[in-house]
C-alpha cells in the first residue's frame, strides 16, 4: 500500500495556499511528454518478493574473471576490512568536526596520512580527496598557487582519459591551460621538448601511464627541475611497494604526489566511491588542499588527535571552494588504512610482486597465439597492451559470454588502434583464469 503523508483536505489546503487549482496545475511547467509514469516498469513488489528477486539475480549473475584495469583493479581485500568498517563508529560517522567525539576516526586518518607518506616518500599527506582525478586537479591548482605568474600545466597525452576529462572540465574555469605532451610512438612513453613553454607551472608525470608502461621518471623529474617546473607525480600506490617512491625521483624528488587509493582495499563497485591520495613537501604544506590530522599531547601527556591547518567549507569563501571537502571520503580512508595495516609492508610488497608475476604469465600465454603481438615492449608493472588481428571491442564482447572481462579496448580510451587491448593482471589471477582466457581467445580467433 503506498505511503501518502497528506489526505485530500490537507492537499487542497496546500494548493489553495499557493493559488494552484489542482495537482496538474502545480506541475504544468513540466512538458507533457515528460509527465506520467514511464512505460514498461513492472508493478511494485513486497519487501519479501523483492528480496527473492535480488537473490535470484545474484545467483544468475556469475562472477567475472576480471582482466580490466585502466585505473581500477581487482585486488584482494582482507576480510578484516569489511568487518571493521561496518562498525557503527566508522560506518555512520560524519566528518570529524568534533574532535572530542571522534578520536578513533582522527587516529585512522592520521595513520592513513602516515602510510601514504611512507609509500610515496613524501613529508606530508592530507586526509584524502574525493578520488584520484580530483586530487590531480587540486595538485594543478596548488602548482599555480606556488607559481602564480604562470597559467598552464604540461599534461601527458597518455594520462588516463577520465582523469584528463576532469582537468579539461575544471581547469579552464580557473583560467588554466593544459598543454599536451606527446608520446613516443615506438616506446609508448612521454616525450618532452628541449624547452618548456614560458608560462608552464608544472609537469604531470604518470607512473604508470595509461598504456601500462613505466616512465623514465628520474629523467622527467630532472627535466622539470631544470625548466623551473614543479613535478606532479600520478602514481598507482600499490606499485610503490616495488618501484622507487616519488620522493626519491631524479634530483630532489617529485614536488606533489597524487593517486587513487582504490587499489589499497576499496572494492570495485561500479565506479566508486573512491579515495584520492595527496602528498607534498613540508615547505608547501600551507598550499595543500583539504585537511590534515595531527598527533599531539594534552597537558597531562596523553596522546590526542586533532584537525590542523584545516580548510573546511565553513572556513573559506564559497567562490574559493574547490573539491577540498575531503573527509566525507572517511569510510574509504578507513578501508584503505585497515587494509594497509592488515597486509603490512611485506603483504603489500607480496601483492605487488604477484600482480607483476601474474601479468607476466598472462602476457606470455597470450603471445603464443598467431597474430597477437605486443604493441610496446617497455617495462610494465601489471598492465600491458596487446594488438589482436580482430577488433578488441569484439574480443571483449565475445569473452564476456565466457565470464571473462578481457580488458579495455584502447580505442575506447582514444589512445590506440582498433585491435589494441589494455590487459591487467593482479594477485587475484590464477592459473585456471589464464587457461580460461586462452581457451576463450582461441575459440574467438578461430571464427
Amino acid at each position: 500500500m503506498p505511503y501518502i503523508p497528506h489526505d485530500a483536505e490537507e492537499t487542497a489546503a496546500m494548493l489553495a495556499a499557493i493559488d494552484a487549482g489542482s495537482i496538474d496545475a502545480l506541475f504544468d511547467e513540466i512538458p507533457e511528454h515528460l509527465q506520467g509514469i514511464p512505460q514498461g516498469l513492472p508493478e511494485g513488489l513486497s519487501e519479501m518478493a523483492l528480496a527473492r528477486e535480488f537473490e535470484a539475480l545474484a545467483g544468475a549473475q556469475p562472477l567475472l574473471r576480471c582482466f580490466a584495469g585502466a585505473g581500477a583493479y581487482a585486488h584482494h581485500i582482507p576480510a578484516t576490512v569489511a568487518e571493521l568498517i561496518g562498525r557503527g563508529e566508522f560506518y555512520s560517522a560524519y566528518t570529524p568536526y568534533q574532535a572530542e567525539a571522534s578520536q578513533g576516526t582522527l587516529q585512522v586518518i592520521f595513520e592513513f596520512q602516515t602510510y601514504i607518506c611512507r609509500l610515496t616518500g613524501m613529508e606530508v599527506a592530507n586526509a584524502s580527496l574525493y578520488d584520484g582525478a580530483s586530487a590531480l586537479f587540486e595538485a594543478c591548482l596548488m602548482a599555480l598557487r606556488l607559481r602564480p605568474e604562470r597559467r598552464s600545466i604540461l599534461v601527458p597525452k597518455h594520462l588516463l582519459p577520465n582523469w584528463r576529462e576532469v582537468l579539461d572540465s575544471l581547469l579552464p574555469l580557473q583560467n588554466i591551460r593544459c598543454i599536451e605532451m606527446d608520446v613516443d610512438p615506438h616506446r609508448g612513453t612521454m616525450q618532452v621538448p628541449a624547452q618548456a613553454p614560458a608560462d608552464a607551472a608544472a609537469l604531470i608525470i604518470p607512473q604508470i601511464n595509461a598504456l601500462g608502461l613505466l616512465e623514465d621518471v628520474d629523467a622527467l623529474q630532472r627535466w622539470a627541475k631544470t625548466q623551473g617546473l614543479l613535478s606532479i607525480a600520478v602514481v598507482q600506490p600499490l606499485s610503490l611497494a616495488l618501484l622507487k617512491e616519488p620522493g626519491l625521483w631524479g634530483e630532489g624528488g617529485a614536488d606533489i604526489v597524487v593517486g587513487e587509493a582504490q587499489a589499497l582495499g576499496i572494492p570495485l563497485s561500479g565506479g566508486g566511491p573512491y579515495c584520492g591520495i595527496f602528498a607534498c613537501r613540508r615547505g608547501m604544506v600551507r598550499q595543500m588542499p583539504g585537511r590534515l590530522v595531527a598527533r599531539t599531547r594534552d597537558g597531562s601527556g596523553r596522546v590526542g588527535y586533532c584537525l590542523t591547518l584545516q580548510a573546511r567549507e565553513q572556513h573559506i569563501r564559497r567562490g574559493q571552494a574547490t573539491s577540498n571537502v575531503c573527509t566525507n571520503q572517511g569510510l574509504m580512508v578507513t578501508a584503505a588504512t585497515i587494509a594497509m595495516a592488515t597486509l603490512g609492508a611485506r603483504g603489500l610488497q607480496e601483492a605487488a610482486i604477484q600482480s607483476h608475476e601474474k601479468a607476466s604469465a598472462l602476457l606470455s600465454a597470450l603471445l603464443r597465439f598467431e597474430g597477437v603481438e605486443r604493441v610496446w615492449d617497455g617495462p610494465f608493472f601489471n598492465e600491458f597492451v596487446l594488438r589482436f588481428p580482430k577488433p578488441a571491442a569484439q574480443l571483449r564482447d565475445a569473452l564476456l559470454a565466457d565470464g571473462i572481462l578481457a580488458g579495455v579496448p584502447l580505442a575506447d580510451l582514444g589512445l590506440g588502434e582498433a585491435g589494441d587491448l589494455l590487459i591487467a593482471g593482479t594477485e587475484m589471477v590464477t592459473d585456471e583464469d589464464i587457461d580460461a582466457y586462452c581457451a576463450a581467445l582461441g575459440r574467438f580467433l578461430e571464427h
Side-chain angles (χ1 to χ4, degrees):
M1 183 174 179
Y3 171 69
I4 301 174
H6 308 296
D7 58 25
E9 184 177 349
E10 291 171 329
T11 302
M14 287 188 286
L15 290 173
I18 60 175
D19 198 24
S22 65
I23 294 292
D24 291 338
L26 180 63
F27 296 110
D28 62 1
E29 292 185 359
I30 300 175
E32 187 174 350
H33 70 282
L34 297 178
Q35 295 185 21
I37 300 174
Q39 300 299 313
L41 291 179
E43 294 293 327
L45 300 175
S46 68
E47 182 178 338
M48 288 189 294
L50 186 62
R52 286 196 295 269
E53 179 78 8
F54 282 151
E55 289 171 0
L57 289 173
Q61 181 63 51
L63 294 177
L64 285 173
R65 300 174 192 262
C66 183
F67 298 90
Y73 305 92
H75 285 290
H76 169 70
I77 300 174
T80 49
V81 174
E83 190 68 25
L84 292 177
I85 67 171
R87 290 179 59 92
E89 303 93 316
F90 293 129
Y91 203 72
S92 61
Y94 189 51
T95 49
Y97 291 157
Q98 297 176 310
E100 69 278 10
S102 310
Q103 281 294 294
T105 296
L106 291 168
Q107 181 176 349
V108 166
I109 293 174
F110 177 80
E111 293 178 3
F112 172 81
Q113 296 172 178
T114 304
Y115 289 144
I116 296 304
C117 285
R118 290 179 178 176
L119 269 177
T120 60
M122 304 300 284
E123 295 166 328
V124 185
N126 74 10
S128 88
L129 290 164
Y130 284 137
D131 56 20
S134 58
L136 178 57
F137 164 65
E138 289 288 355
C140 295
L141 295 186
M142 180 175 168
L144 269 295
R145 289 195 293 273
L146 292 164
R147 297 283 192 275
E149 73 283 5
R150 305 185 186 187
R151 300 309 305 170
S152 66
I153 300 289
L154 304 184
V155 183
K157 185 177 181 180
H158 49 1
L159 184 69
L160 283 170
N162 53 337
W163 291 42
R164 177 63 188 268
E165 287 179 14
V166 171
L167 298 187
D168 289 342
S169 298
L170 298 178
L171 287 181
L173 302 177
Q174 303 285 338
N175 195 28
I176 299 171
R177 190 163 57 102
C178 291
I179 299 177
E180 192 168 86
M181 295 287 100
D182 287 333
V183 175
D184 185 322
H186 304 293
R187 301 177 60 187
T189 52
M190 184 165 28
Q191 285 184 316
V192 293
Q195 187 72 37
D199 70 340
L203 171 69
I204 295 174
I205 305 175
Q207 185 73 312
I208 304 144
N209 70 35
L211 306 177
L213 297 165
L214 303 186
E215 297 279 353
D216 186 350
V217 292
D218 292 325
L220 291 171
Q221 189 278 338
R222 290 191 191 99
W223 179 83
K225 188 172 183 179
T226 59
Q227 301 295 318
L229 304 173
L230 297 171
S231 51
I232 302 173
V234 178
V235 298
Q236 204 273 48
L238 184 64
S239 72
L240 297 180
L242 287 181
L243 304 177
K244 180 191 289 186
E245 54 263 50
L248 298 178
W249 288 0
E251 297 176 10
D255 298 293
I256 304 170
V257 180
V258 298
E260 172 54 59
Q262 181 273 325
L264 299 175
I266 299 173
L268 297 174
S269 54
Y274 286 160
C275 173
I277 290 170
F278 198 110
C280 70
R281 304 207 164 279
R282 185 184 302 276
M284 302 175 176
V285 67
R286 289 192 175 276
Q287 294 299 330
M288 172 182 272
R291 302 166 195 163
L292 297 174
V293 172
R295 183 172 63 184
T296 186
R297 292 184 182 277
D298 65 12
S300 302
R302 294 173 299 187
V303 171
Y305 300 87
C306 61
L307 288 174
T308 185
L309 297 176
Q310 57 181 311
R312 86 191 218 202
E313 58 268 37
Q314 288 90 340
H315 294 169
I316 54 181
R317 283 178 290 180
R318 178 173 297 180
Q320 295 177 332
T322 53
S323 57
N324 55 356
V325 189
C326 55
T327 41
N328 64 346
Q329 295 300 100
L331 193 64
M332 300 300 102
V333 167
T334 304
T337 305
I338 294 172
M340 288 188 281
T342 304
L343 293 170
R346 291 183 60 184
L348 288 172
Q349 189 175 50
E350 182 62 26
I353 291 172
Q354 287 197 29
S355 294
H356 178 68
E357 291 181 346
K358 298 293 179 60
S360 299
L362 179 63
L363 172 63
S364 299
L366 297 180
L367 284 176
R368 296 191 187 106
F369 287 87
E370 185 176 354
V372 179
E373 59 183 5
R374 195 168 174 213
V375 181
W376 298 282
D377 61 359
F380 68 99
F381 171 56
N382 72 330
E383 278 185 296
F384 52 86
V385 176
L386 289 183
R387 181 164 293 165
F388 293 88
K390 295 182 179 180
Q394 290 183 15
L395 169 63
R396 175 201 57 198
D397 296 344
L399 267 61
L400 275 175
D402 293 300
I404 296 171
L405 187 54
V408 179
L410 271 193
D412 288 357
L413 304 180
L415 294 174
E417 299 183 9
D420 297 347
L421 190 67
L422 180 65
I423 303 170
T426 71
E427 76 278 15
M428 299 286 284
V429 172
T430 65
D431 292 342
E432 291 75 19
D433 293 333
I434 296 176
D435 292 341
Y437 196 126
C438 291
L441 175 62
R443 291 191 292 272
F444 171 75
L445 293 178
E446 287 176 358
H447 293 87

